[in-house]
C-alpha cells in the first residue's frame, strides 16, 4: 500500500504514515477549524493498513499543540489503532512533549487514561 | 481582501454616523489605556481567523515573556476564535448580502496584556435557550478544581458525541484548563430573545 505523506501547514501537522516501516507519525500543530475533514484520509489509511500491518506498529505523536476539534479526531485515530492492537500487530505510542510543557504532557496522559494502548511519554528539548 | 474590509467599513460607518471624528482619538486612547494588543469587531471568517492567529503569533514571539505562558495564550486564542467562527452557522456569503444578519453574527474580540497577565475577551449574540445551556456549562466548569476539570475533560472526550461542527463541547473546558483561572462571563439582555455573551479569560 502507498505511504501517506502530507506536508505540515500553519494549521495542520506533518503526516508521515509509512506502511513498510510500520510507523505512523504526526508532527507539528493541529488547529484546523474543520478537523474532521483533515483527519478523514488519515483514518482511511489506518483502516487499510489494519488489513496487513507490520508485526509492530509505532505511533509517533510529536505535536506542539492541538485544538479541541482535533482532540476528538486524534481520539478516533487512537481507537482505530487500539482495535488492531494484539490481533495482528503490537501498537506502541510514543508521545513527545517539550521540556516543561505540562499541557502537552497532560494531553498525552488524558489519552492514556482513555485508550488501552501502551504510552511512552518522551520529554524533548524541542519538537 | 474584501472580507477584512467589511468590518472596517462597518466601524467607519458607525463612527461617521454616531460619533464625531475626534472620537477616533478617544477610541485610540481607550485601546491604549486597556493595553489592547489587538481588537476586532465584525464577522469572524476562516480567513480572518487565520490572519489574526498569524499576527498574534508574531506579536507573541517578540514579547519578552515565558514561552510556556505564550503557548497557553495562543492555545486559548485558538479556542476562543474558533468558538466565534463556529458561531456563524450560516454561509459567509449569505451573511454579506444581509446587513441585519451581518450585525447579528458579528462578534467582538480583543486581547490585552497587563500586570504580567494576558486577557482574551470575546462577545457575541446568543439566543436565550443557548444562553441558558452555555451558562450551565460555564457554572459547572467554574465549580471544578484543576484535577476535576481534567477528569471532566477526559469524560467528555471519551464519551461525548460530536456536535455537527466538530467542536465536541470541549472548547470551554480546555480554555479553563489552559487559563488556570475561573471563566468570567456575563449575559446582557439585548432583546426579548437575544442576549450578548461576554467572556473574559485571564491567562497567567
Amino acid at each position: 500500500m502507498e505511504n501517506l505523506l502530507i506536508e505540515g501547514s500553519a494549521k495542520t501537522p506533518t503526516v508521515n504514515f509509512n506502511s513498510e516501516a510500520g510507523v505512523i507519525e504526526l508532527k507539528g500543530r493541529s488547529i484546523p477549524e474543520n478537523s474532521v475533514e483533515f483527519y478523514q484520509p488519515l483514518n482511511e489509511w489506518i483502516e487499510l493498513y489494519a488489513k496487513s500491518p507490520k508485526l509492530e506498529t509505532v505511533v509517533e505523536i510529536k505535536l506542539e499543540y492541538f485544538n479541541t476539534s482535533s482532540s476528538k479526531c486524534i481520539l478516533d485515530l487512537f481507537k482505530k489503532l487500539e482495535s488492531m492492537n494484539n490481533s495482528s500487530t503490537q501498537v506502541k505510542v510514543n508521545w513527545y512533549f517539550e521540556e516543561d510543557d505540562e499541557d502537552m504532557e497532560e494531553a498525552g496522559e488524558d489519552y492514556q487514561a482513555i485508550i488501552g494502548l501502551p504510552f511512552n511519554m518522551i520529554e524533548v528539548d524541542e519538537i | 481582501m474584501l472580507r477584512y474590509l467589511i468590518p472596517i467599513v462597518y466601524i467607519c460607518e458607525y463612527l461617521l454616523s454616531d460619533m464625531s471624528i475626534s472620537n477616533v482619538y478617544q477610541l485610540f486612547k481607550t485601546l491604549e489605556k486597556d493595553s489592547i494588543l489587538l481588537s476586532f469587531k465584525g464577522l469572524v471568517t476562516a480567513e480572518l481567523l487565520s490572519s489574526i492567529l498569524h499576527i498574534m503569533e508574531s506579536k507573541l514571539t517578540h514579547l519578552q515573556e515565558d514561552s510556556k505562558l505564550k503557548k497557553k495564550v495562543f492555545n486559548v486564542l485558538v479556542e476562543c476564535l474558533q468558538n466565534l467562527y463556529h458561531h456563524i452557522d450560516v454561509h459567509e456569503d449569505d451573511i454579506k448580502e444581509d446587513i441585519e444578519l451581518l450585525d447579528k453574527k458579528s462578534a467582538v474580540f480583543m486581547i490585552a496584556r497587563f500586570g504580567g497577565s494576558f486577557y482574551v475577551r470575546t462577545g457575541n449574540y446568543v439566543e436565550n435557550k443557548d444562553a441558558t445551556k452555555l451558562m450551565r456549562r460555564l457554572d459547572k466548569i467554574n465549580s471544578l478544581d484543576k484535577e476535576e476539570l481534567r477528569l471532566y475533560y477526559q469524560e467528555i472526550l471519551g464519551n461525548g458525541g460530536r456536535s455537527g461542527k466538530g467542536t465536541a463541547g470541549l472548547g470551554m473546558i480546555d480554555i479553563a484548563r489552559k487559563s488556570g483561572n475561573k471563566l468570567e462571563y456575563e449575559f446582557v439582555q439585548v432583546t426579548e430573545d437575544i442576549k450578548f455573551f461576554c467572556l473574559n479569560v485571564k491567562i497567567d
Side-chain angles (χ1 to χ4, degrees), chain B residues 26-174:
Chain B
Q26 219 43 58
L27 181 63
F28 173 81
K29 292 300 279 183
T30 306
L31 292 174
E32 197 172 60
K33 181 174 73 61
D34 292 346
S35 310
I36 304 293
L37 292 173
L38 192 126
S39 77
F40 171 83
K41 179 217 164 273
L43 199 63
V44 177
T45 61
E47 251 176 75
L48 181 94
L49 202 153
S50 303
S51 331
I52 293 182
L53 289 179
H54 185 72
I55 293 167
M56 279 314 301
E57 191 160 37
S58 75
K59 277 199 183 214
L60 286 171
T61 311
H62 293 106
L63 287 179
Q64 297 288 325
E65 202 67 78
D66 177 37
S67 66
K68 245 168 76 181
L69 178 62
K70 291 199 270 193
K71 213 165 171 178
K72 278 179 192 293
V73 171
F74 191 75
N75 244 295
V76 170
L77 266 176
V78 170
E79 290 303 324
C80 285
L81 286 168
Q82 290 184 345
N83 274 348
L84 294 178
Y85 169 77
H86 288 297
H87 171 69
I88 317 170
D89 47 7
V90 272
H91 198 275
E92 282 175 24
D93 294 329
D94 294 335
I95 296 182
K96 284 171 197 151
E97 305 289 311
D98 186 338
I99 289 295
E100 216 173 292
L101 194 60
L102 173 70
D103 188 34
K104 217 172 88 185
K105 293 290 177 185
S106 282
V108 68
F109 158 84
M110 65 194 80
I111 170 157
R113 176 190 184 230
F114 54 88
S117 304
F118 285 84
Y119 297 82
V120 177
R121 298 190 183 123
T122 63
N124 60 277
Y125 292 109
V126 286
E127 287 181 27
N128 279 344
K129 60 171 169 45
D130 297 328
T132 312
K133 265 190 267 175
L134 191 52
M135 210 182 297
R136 231 178 272 144
R137 198 185 316 157
L138 290 166
D139 287 343
K140 157 115 187 170
I141 290 170
N142 282 340
S143 74
L144 304 175
D145 66 21
K146 192 173 184 285
E147 194 50 35
E148 289 167 334
L149 264 179
R150 182 182 184 154
L151 293 174
Y152 186 43
Y153 178 93
Q154 289 175 6
E155 182 195 324
I156 302 287
L157 177 64
N159 310 321
R162 203 197 313 268
S163 79
K165 298 163 206 159
T167 48
L170 289 168
M172 287 296 177
I173 311 174
D174 189 59

Side-chain angles (χ1 to χ4, degrees), chain A residues 17-73:
Chain A
F17 289 7
N18 189 314
S19 56
E20 294 114 67
V23 174
I24 288 171
E25 183 185 77
L26 282 182
K27 188 176 192 302
R29 57 174 64 176
S30 181
I31 52 168
E33 290 87 50
N34 299 309
S35 33
V36 177
E37 207 176 296
F38 179 80
Y39 279 89
Q40 198 180 335
L42 280 60
N43 279 317
E44 284 166 4
W45 189 93
I46 289 175
E47 273 167 32
L48 215 64
Y49 172 77
K51 289 178 184 162
S52 53
K54 292 276 128 185
L55 281 174
E56 195 181 76
T57 302
V58 180
V59 186
E60 303 262 271
I61 306 288
K62 301 172 176 170
L63 293 173
E64 275 176 84
Y65 39 67
F66 52 89
N67 59 358
T68 51
S69 155
S70 298
S71 63
K72 200 81 188 168
C73 294

